[in-house]
Amino acid sequence: MRRRFCLLSALVLATAAPAGASSFVRGIDVSHWKANIDWTLVRVGGYRFAFAEATNGFDSDWTYDTNRAGAAAAGIVFGAFHFAHPSGTTPQEAVADAVAQADFFVSVAQPQTGDLAPVLDLERTDGLSPALLRTWTAAWLDEVWQQTGARPTIYASPNFWRHAMRNSSIFASTGSRLWVAHWRVRRPRVPAADWGATGWSFWQWTDCSHVPGIRGCVDGDRFNGGRIGGAVLAPPPAPGEPPTILGVPQSGQTLTATPGTWTATPAATLAYQWQRCTDTTAQDCTPIPNATSSTYTVEPADVGQTLQVVVAATSRARTAWAPSSAVPVNA
């Protein structure tokens, strides 16, 4: 994603296009290293999507707003990425740093319906061990998901993933797509057991594609599908009536949560998370471990506090949340 210099001749690059490239949707990714892009010419050249850097650590990319506006005017599907600078010497510090970077990214990128899913660009460890980097990554992904309702995509090379992440497959299993960076090969090597047997979604196949409307080399990408519209963010489910808690809130009693009402096509799948709160305003709540069904048996630890349930509704890979009112627990 950072500026890359072409080391191969134009003749070599012309023969480096991936096998079967015509079956993929073509795209590019850009940052401030490529300013003054003529997005209309990019579109005329046959490119249908673009990713642009929104943030780099805690710095914003000064070309981001211009790139977003230009791509939109040209009818090019657009997505934003965050170039990660992970930090932290303990899990707590790593989580705090990841959440702060994620919040900064969302504030700058402003992902919305019709965009490509947000992207976490992983190229540096900045000294973090594989275990600590996995913790940092999970916290960033979860925070962006909580903020936008969309599971972010991960950008990484096979070598980086194998060494820096110990080839972990946990992120494939939790719903993140893979944007694999593997240049000048006929087909990419996909880490994490073919990304949990789902394969790659995007492939950065070269760092030196020649694209109309852009001077010099630019990163070239492919979407693994016939229509890029299949990768854009759908509207999140719309909440109607909020969830409610039924039953007697006393120790040993079983409470039942109603899901509330939701508008989504197709119908949303629902998930529950019970929380323990300090008061009825539900301003300070903590998720209760393993309390993820529509029913919950009140525990002695709940007495004197309040309980709330949060329902997550997911449709077309987009999630929205709705909380119930908090109910006080008596002895």
Side-chain angles (χ1 to χ4, degrees):
M1 314 297 234
R2 294 165 293 176
R3 186 179 186 184
R4 300 179 176 98
F5 297 92
C6 298
L7 303 179
L8 302 179
S9 69
L11 177 61
V12 172
L13 289 169
T15 64
S22 60
S23 64
F24 304 142
V25 181
R26 293 190 294 168
I28 59 173
D29 62 89
V30 298
S31 67
H32 62 276
W33 295 110
K34 289 296 174 185
N36 302 316
I37 296 173
D38 187 329
W39 287 99
T40 299
L41 289 182
V42 174
R43 168 77 185 188
V44 170
Y47 294 84
R48 296 295 178 259
F49 71 90
F51 290 105
E53 182 182 82
T55 49
N56 188 312
F58 289 104
D59 294 323
S60 59
D61 190 311
W62 59 270
T63 62
Y64 176 75
D65 289 338
T66 300
N67 286 330
R68 173 183 270 284
I76 294 174
V77 177
F78 185 82
F81 69 83
H82 173 72
F83 190 94
H85 285 272
S87 178
T89 58
T90 66
Q92 294 78 13
E93 290 177 356
V95 167
D97 179 76
V99 168
Q101 288 195 40
D103 289 343
F104 177 62
F105 165 76
V106 171
S107 71
V108 173
Q110 295 291 305
Q112 56 194 262
T113 297
D115 286 352
L116 298 169
V119 176
L120 175 61
D121 176 359
L122 289 172
E123 301 185 41
R124 305 169 53 125
T125 67
D126 287 344
L128 272 66
S129 68
L132 203 54
L133 185 57
R134 289 193 297 269
T135 296
W136 189 98
T137 299
W140 193 97
L141 296 172
D142 190 61
E143 180 67 10
V144 172
W145 177 56
Q146 293 285 339
Q147 293 280 354
T148 68
R151 291 287 186 186
T153 297
I154 295 174
Y155 168 99
S157 72
N159 285 339
F160 182 91
W161 200 262
R162 184 171 67 253
H163 295 293
M165 302 293 276
R166 289 292 187 267
N167 212 30
S168 173
S169 60
I170 183 64
F171 302 108
S173 66
T174 54
S176 288
R177 294 181 185 229
L178 175 66
W179 177 8
V180 63
H182 198 183
W183 304 336
R184 294 178 284 277
V185 293
R186 293 183 62 82
R187 55 183 54 85
R189 187 169 68 251
V190 182
D194 196 32
W195 204 251
T198 63
W200 59 272
S201 294
F202 295 92
W203 171 17
Q204 187 187 76
W205 67 274
T206 179
D207 64 337
C208 195
S209 185
H210 294 280
V211 175
I214 302 178
R215 183 174 299 177
C217 290
V218 66
D219 295 336
D221 299 289
R222 300 284 185 259
F223 169 64
N224 194 8
R227 293 175 60 86
I228 192 62
V232 303
L233 297 180
E241 293 295 323
T244 57
I245 296 175
L246 305 177
V248 179
Q250 292 181 345
S251 182
Q253 297 294 311
T254 298
L255 305 178
T256 300
T258 69
T261 59
W262 299 89
T263 301
T265 304
T269 58
L270 304 176
Y272 298 82
Q273 177 62 67
W274 293 83
Q275 299 183 336
R276 190 177 290 128
C277 310
T278 57
D279 56 35
T280 56
T281 65
Q283 295 299 305
D284 184 14
C285 299
T286 303
I288 301 172
N290 303 316
T292 55
S293 72
S294 60
T295 60
Y296 174 72
T297 301
V298 182
E299 300 176 353
D302 300 322
V303 175
Q305 302 194 67
T306 61
L307 293 173
Q308 178 188 58
V309 66
V310 176
V311 176
T314 302
S315 177
R316 295 176 61 194
R318 197 79 185 272
T319 304
W321 292 265
S324 71
S325 297
V327 296
V329 179
N330 301 314

